[in-house]
């Protein structure tokens, strides 16, 4: 058996999956594209196992392990997608960027009667301290 045929097919599958991951915005389609990429790797593992005539069949054993990991990944991924869809009403990746925590409470001025120069200085100071506030929140939640 020539090794070139399954290697070319695996490269095409992997490139198709990579395009799907980078270009799609639907979470389900991104998960399907990741599965295409994993199947391309499985095809390469089995093809090289046959080509090398390995007596232990380690390529096939790694393929079974990859299939098990892919099944777990899809199960957890779909559960997360369903939970997010219930809470947000969409599974669009671009709209899920809103879930990040923001420091809106730190950016609000303390008194509303301050003049514009003070507000401008306070706004730049709040913008400078905002990354520090995010880092503190991340440490507190970890």
């Amino acid at each position: 058996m020539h090794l070139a045929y399954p290697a070319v097919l695996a490269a095409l599958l992997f490139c198709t999956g990579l395009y799907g991951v980078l270009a799609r915005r639907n979470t389900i389609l991104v998960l399907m594209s990741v599965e295409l990429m994993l199947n391309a790797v499985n095809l390469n593992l089995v093809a090289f196992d046959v080509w090398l005539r390995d007596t232990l069949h380690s390529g096939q054993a790694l393929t079974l392990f990859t299939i098990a990991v892919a099944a777990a990944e899809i199960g957890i991924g779909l559960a997360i997608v369903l939970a997010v869809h219930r809470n947000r009403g969409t599974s669009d990746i671009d709209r899920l960027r809103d879930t990040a925590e923001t420091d809106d409470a730190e950016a609000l001025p303390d008194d509303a009667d301050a003049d514009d120069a003070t507000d401008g200085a306070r706004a730049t100071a709040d913008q400078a301290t905002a990354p520090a506030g995010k880092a503190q929140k991340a440490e507190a939640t970890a």
Side-chain angles (χ1 to χ4, degrees):
M1 177 175 112
H2 294 288
L3 186 61
Y5 299 128
V8 168
L9 179 62
L12 289 173
L13 277 175
F14 192 85
C15 288
T16 304
L18 186 64
Y19 172 75
V21 167
L22 295 176
R24 299 293 178 187
R25 296 293 171 232
N26 188 351
T27 313
I28 303 294
L29 292 177
V30 170
L31 287 174
M32 288 174 59
S33 299
V34 169
E35 285 294 319
L36 270 178
M37 292 168 52
L38 287 173
N39 285 331
V41 170
N42 289 341
L43 181 61
N44 268 334
L45 285 171
V46 171
F48 276 98
D49 183 42
V50 170
W51 185 64
L52 293 174
R53 298 173 195 230
D54 187 16
T55 56
L56 295 176
H57 299 292
S58 56
Q60 293 178 16
L62 284 173
T63 298
L64 290 175
F65 179 72
T66 307
I67 290 171
V69 168
E73 174 251 338
I74 283 296
I76 292 171
L78 285 176
I80 291 171
V81 168
L82 286 174
V84 167
H85 189 271
R86 279 190 194 144
N87 291 336
R88 302 292 245 155
T90 184
S91 63
D92 190 18
I93 292 175
D94 288 337
R95 293 186 183 173
L96 294 180
R97 292 183 184 162
D98 299 346
T99 59
E101 292 183 20
T102 59
D103 292 332
D104 292 336
E106 294 177 9
L108 293 175
D110 291 334
D111 57 327
D113 297 333
D115 59 303
D116 292 335
T118 319
D119 287 340
R122 188 177 300 138
T124 55
D126 286 339
Q127 289 172 357
T129 59
K134 288 181 183 178
Q136 289 173 352
K137 283 185 181 179
E139 290 175 5
T141 58

